[in-house]
Amino acid sequence: MKAEVRAKYITKWDDGRTILESPCKVNLITHEILNIGRRKIICSPYPNRVLDDYVEHLDAEYVRFADGTCCNVVDYQSTWSFKEQCGIAPFYRS
């Protein structure tokens, strides 16, 4: 099994009205996001040039793998339990 794999880093903003997707590389052993690439707008009422000025509330962020599996993303300081994460350890962003 490879320790580093490619996935998609996805964020949902403002009650899901804006969804962004970026390619990323993650380490499956340490559960760290190693690199996040350039974002792509999946859906948004705002064009890319003003997007950062208008999105306000981050609703969800997760990593999605090629097989469709999704894992939440948390800060290093966050506390979590396997029960809250449906038995899947989340990934960390710095």
Side-chain angles (χ1 to χ4, degrees):
M1 177 174 86
K2 292 174 62 173
E4 294 181 8
V5 298
R6 296 188 185 281
K8 299 285 184 182
Y9 172 73
I10 299 171
T11 55
K12 292 185 178 183
W13 299 83
D14 301 333
D15 298 322
R17 289 190 308 259
T18 298
I19 301 173
L20 306 175
E21 179 181 277
S22 303
C24 68
K25 187 183 284 188
V26 298
N27 186 308
L28 295 176
I29 296 170
T30 63
H31 272 247
E32 292 177 292
I33 298 173
L34 304 173
N35 184 4
I36 298 174
R38 189 175 186 156
R39 74 180 180 203
K40 174 183 171 185
I41 297 174
I42 301 303
C43 71
S44 180
Y46 313 112
N48 196 32
R49 68 182 186 284
V50 297
L51 182 69
D52 294 328
D53 295 332
Y54 288 97
V55 292
E56 294 180 355
H57 178 72
L58 179 63
D59 296 319
E61 60 183 322
Y62 54 93
V63 173
R64 185 178 66 215
F65 296 94
D67 68 355
T69 304
C70 295
C71 297
N72 288 338
V73 174
V74 298
D75 291 305
Y76 280 111
Q77 296 84 15
S78 297
T79 56
W80 57 272
S81 72
F82 280 107
K83 184 176 180 182
E84 291 170 350
Q85 301 295 326
C86 299
I88 301 172
F91 281 81
Y92 297 99
R93 62 171 159 64
S94 51

